[in-house]
Amino acid sequence: MTPDPKALTEALIAARQANRTLDATPWIDALPDAPQAYEVQDAVAAALGWFDGVPKTWKSGGGSRGATLTHAPLPPSGVRQSPADFSDLTFHTPGIEAEIALRLGQDVTPAQAAALDHDNSAALIDAMAVSVEIVDARWQDLAATPALLRLADSQVHGALVLGDWQPYAAVDWASQRCETKIGDAETVVREGTHPLADPAWLLPIWLRHLTRHGQTVPAGTVVTTGSWVGVLPCRRGDQVTAEFPGIGAVRLSV
């Protein structure tokens, strides 16, 4: 029998409750499309009681402007202010993504979201901050897991640390440096490597996703916007720092 989204939802809920991973093989054909994957996201969050109303923190992004962007709300218990300690959480195969987070300065209605374009949406942002996402999955072999199953699993989110908020201003993103250090490894330095060239580029797409069922997105809602370093492997106990010179820095313990 072909697995169905409801059974997948139940399996993901059980995996999170038991802090274990799943073999993706039996679930390869469980999801026909992205809307169904988002329904599984929502059902898992509802079952675990993560949110009351519109979630306050999200991840969004894609590998390029030509890619289909994906989105996931982040469980509040794993969203922390720098310096952050995540030793109380369980991770399976964690990785580090250094990012810029953006914060809405005003409410956004469905009508407003529908009218946005890439040139005018940055006016909605009042602040930005350095962030680091700990990427982690409920799937045993993430590299072999189809994209829709990753999307259903909160786009393989583990936890998030946010730095101090700074007033949002125009930045020369093409020359912006990102410096990430994990444990005793050499610092990873990148410059101008945001996959969308500008973190704010995703705002219209992200906001249309959030308002698709008629909800208004409240001021103060936060979105992380994609990794400047890909996914860097880390281990339990690693001390991590990420700095975007001129914007800020974060520290965390995995």
Side-chain angles (χ1 to χ4, degrees):
M1 182 176 66
T2 300
D4 65 86
K6 182 178 179 181
L8 173 61
T9 300
E10 293 171 350
L12 285 170
I13 292 168
R16 285 186 176 271
Q17 290 174 327
N19 288 325
R20 60 180 176 83
T21 56
L22 300 169
D23 178 5
T25 306
W27 305 102
I28 295 296
D29 298 320
L31 297 172
D33 51 33
Q36 190 67 70
Y38 286 120
E39 288 188 19
V40 172
Q41 268 190 18
D42 292 344
V44 171
L48 296 176
W50 285 347
F51 310 115
D52 180 14
V54 178
K56 294 179 173 60
T57 311
W58 292 75
K59 65 179 292 184
S60 182
S64 71
R65 292 188 177 187
T68 298
L69 304 192
T70 56
H71 325 279
L74 310 186
S77 63
V79 178
R80 302 177 184 180
Q81 195 71 23
S82 175
D85 182 353
F86 294 103
S87 59
D88 59 310
L89 300 184
T90 298
F91 301 117
H92 304 289
T93 53
I96 295 297
E97 294 188 346
E99 310 187 40
I100 294 294
L102 303 175
R103 188 179 70 191
L104 288 179
Q106 63 182 73
D107 294 352
V108 180
T109 67
Q112 288 172 318
L116 288 174
D117 61 38
H118 298 294
D119 294 325
N120 64 19
S121 56
L124 301 171
I125 299 300
D126 74 340
M128 59 184 174
V130 174
S131 65
V132 165
E133 182 185 13
I134 300 177
V135 176
D136 195 44
R138 269 43 60 185
W139 301 112
Q140 291 169 7
D141 183 358
L142 185 57
T145 300
L148 288 176
L149 292 182
R150 300 185 193 197
L151 183 57
D153 179 32
S154 298
Q155 195 58 26
V156 297
H157 171 72
L160 181 74
V161 59
L162 291 166
D164 292 335
W165 292 103
Q166 308 292 335
Y168 181 76
V171 172
D172 179 6
W173 296 111
S175 62
Q176 176 65 52
R177 284 169 60 90
C178 169
E179 303 169 3
T180 308
K181 183 172 178 58
I182 301 174
D184 295 327
E186 185 176 346
T187 300
V188 176
V189 178
R190 298 286 186 267
E191 184 173 314
T193 51
H194 189 271
L196 305 178
D198 178 351
W201 189 87
L202 58 72
L203 290 173
I205 300 167
W206 170 64
L207 287 166
R208 283 194 274 273
H209 176 77
L210 270 61
T211 57
R212 71 195 187 282
H213 298 312
Q215 294 174 297
T216 291
V217 185
T221 302
V222 172
V223 61
T224 66
T225 56
S227 178
W228 291 61
V229 296
V231 180
L232 303 177
C234 65
R235 297 176 294 182
R236 172 63 78 193
D238 277 344
Q239 303 299 305
V240 178
T241 61
E243 180 178 4
F244 286 72
I247 298 176
V250 299
R251 293 188 292 116
L252 65 138
S253 177
V254 179

